[in-house]
């Protein structure tokens, strides 16, 4: 509990320092811009590019246009819930794929040698270029539009889970493996009784990365494809008001950030539950 409270306090302090740094940089204004040794390192700023932090938060409490008396934060909460559901679905699918691939690569060395390079290579494909292909496949199968977002979220999330799970499955102590062999335990029994319990501390960091990656996948899909009324839709909608209301676009940024933190916190909660009976050194 003390560790959680300390982390919460540090998080709030970090946000405060970011806000102070933002305002200090903004206060420098045009004087912050210019060349340093012939290099333009520090760009100039203005109220349209960098509104005040209090203006950004005040935007959340303003009435949303065309939303029947709802405030902006209430509208964003609905958009975030929609994106959150697809992110969780994508994370579940990505976790299933990642764990399956990791088990296959841990079981068969030839599969690891042949498949792992392609798993790594898959993450070099631009998501924007992949989205139309996923949409075309979805259309041919007559699936709902939201499945495109789930598929791309799973595509981004499966990689860290695959790598971390594979590392964990291969981290079982040799003495423990020899003990299981002395009991004539088969590979699948060893997997269930030894390798998977050993892999859990390795899987948790991968799941944390995958959770935030799933949010990115869904938001990029919403922005690229359209038709999905989530945080990505809000980002496009509010960015059209950037000239008259420059703080409005940051409201959508706050929603995306809060959604990523919610997904991360969900994994932390699962980690706390699963690791509650483990030794302190395994919890990290």
């Amino acid at each position: 509990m003390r560790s959680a409270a300390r982390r919460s306090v540090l998080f709030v302090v970090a946000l405060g320092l970011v806000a102070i740094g933002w305002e200090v940089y903004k206060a420098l204004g045009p004087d912050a811009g210019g060349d340093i040794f012939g290099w333009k390192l520090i760009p100039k700023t203005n109220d349209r590019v960098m509104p005040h932090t209090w203006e950004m938060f005040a935007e959340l409490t303003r009435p949303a246009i065309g939303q029947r008396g709802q405030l902006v934060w209430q509208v964003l909460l609905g958009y975030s819930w929609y994106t959150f559901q697809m992110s969780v679905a994508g994370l579940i699918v990505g976790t299933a794929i990642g764990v399956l691939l990791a088990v296959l690569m841990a079981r068969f060395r030839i599969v690891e040698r042949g498949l792992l390079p392609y798993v790594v290579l898959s993450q070099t494909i631009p998501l924007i270029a992949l989205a139309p292909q996923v949409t075309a496949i979805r259309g041919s199968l007559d699936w709902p539009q939201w499945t495109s977002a789930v598929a791309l979220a799973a595509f981004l999330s499966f990689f860290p889970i695959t790598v971390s799970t594979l590392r964990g499955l291969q981290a079982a102590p040799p003495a423990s493996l020899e003990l299981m062999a002395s009991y004539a335990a088969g590979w699948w029994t060893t997997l269930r009784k030894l390798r998977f319990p050993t892999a859990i501390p390795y899987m948790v960091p991968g799941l944390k990365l995958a959770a935030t990656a799933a949010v990115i996948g869904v938001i990029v899909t919403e922005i690229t494809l359209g038709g999905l009324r989530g945080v990505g839709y809000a980002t496009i909608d509010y960015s059209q008001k950037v000239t008259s209301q420059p703080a409005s676009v940051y409201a959508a940024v706050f929603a995306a950030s809060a959604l990523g933190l919610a997904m991360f916190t969900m994994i932390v909660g699962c980690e706390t539950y699963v690791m509650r009976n483990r030794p302190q050194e395994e919890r990290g």
Side-chain angles (χ1 to χ4, degrees), residues 83-95 127 149-158 160-161 206-222 259-260 263 266:
T83 302
F84 176 78
Q85 295 177 83
M86 291 189 292
S87 299
V88 171
L91 178 61
I92 293 174
V93 175
T95 300
L127 199 62
V150 172
L152 292 175
F155 176 79
L156 282 186
S157 62
F158 92 96
I161 296 172
L207 285 169
K208 291 177 180 178
L209 292 174
T212 53
V215 175
I216 296 173
V218 173
I219 293 178
V220 171
T221 306
E222 292 172 347
L259 186 56
M263 291 287 290
M266 181 181 67

Side-chain angles (χ1 to χ4, degrees), residues 105-127:
M105 287 188 287
R107 178 66 179 89
F108 304 104
R109 183 58 62 87
I110 189 173
V111 175
E112 179 185 357
R113 292 178 178 177
L115 185 60
L116 188 57
Y118 291 100
V119 171
V120 176
L121 185 63
S122 68
Q123 299 305 295
T124 65
I125 301 175
L127 199 62

Side-chain angles (χ1 to χ4, degrees), residues 8-203:
S8 300
V9 171
L10 290 176
F11 176 74
V12 173
V13 171
L15 285 181
L17 292 176
V18 170
I20 293 173
W22 180 282
E23 291 299 330
V24 169
Y25 182 86
K26 181 175 173 58
L28 296 177
D31 295 334
D35 297 339
I36 299 180
F37 299 111
W39 295 348
K40 188 173 290 296
L41 299 177
I42 305 178
K44 297 182 179 181
T45 182
N46 52 55
D47 291 336
R48 183 175 62 84
V49 176
M50 292 181 64
H52 289 288
T53 53
W54 55 83
E55 293 177 351
M56 301 179 198
F57 287 103
E59 184 69 24
L60 297 173
T61 61
R62 293 177 182 174
I65 300 176
Q67 297 294 336
R68 299 180 180 179
Q70 287 186 313
L71 301 180
V72 171
W73 73 266
Q74 294 174 314
V75 175
L76 288 174
L77 185 62
Y79 289 149
S80 299
W81 173 243
Y82 183 82
T83 302
F84 176 78
Q85 295 177 83
M86 291 189 292
S87 299
V88 171
L91 178 61
I92 293 174
V93 175
T95 300
I97 295 174
V99 171
L100 177 60
L101 292 177
V103 169
L104 289 175
M105 287 188 287
R107 178 66 179 89
F108 304 104
R109 183 58 62 87
I110 189 173
V111 175
E112 179 185 357
R113 292 178 178 177
L115 185 60
L116 188 57
Y118 291 100
V119 171
V120 176
L121 185 63
S122 68
Q123 299 305 295
T124 65
I125 301 175
L127 199 62
I128 296 178
L130 189 63
Q133 307 301 324
V134 173
T135 303
I137 296 174
R138 176 196 59 80
S140 64
L141 297 174
D142 198 25
W143 286 356
Q145 190 174 18
W146 57 266
T147 56
S148 296
V150 172
L152 292 175
F155 176 79
L156 282 186
S157 62
F158 92 96
F159 174 73
I161 296 172
T162 301
V163 175
S164 61
T165 303
L166 178 61
R167 177 69 181 86
L169 294 177
Q170 295 174 340
S176 300
L177 293 173
E178 291 179 5
L179 179 62
M180 295 295 291
S182 68
Y183 288 130
W187 195 89
W188 294 105
T189 301
T190 304
L191 174 70
R192 182 167 52 91
K193 297 287 188 178
L194 176 61
R195 290 185 183 272
F196 257 129
T198 303
I200 289 177
Y202 294 86
M203 295 173 63

Side-chain angles (χ1 to χ4, degrees), residues 243-263:
T243 302
S244 59
Q245 295 177 282
S248 61
V249 69
Y250 288 95
V253 173
F254 289 158
S257 302
L259 186 56
L261 287 174
M263 291 287 290

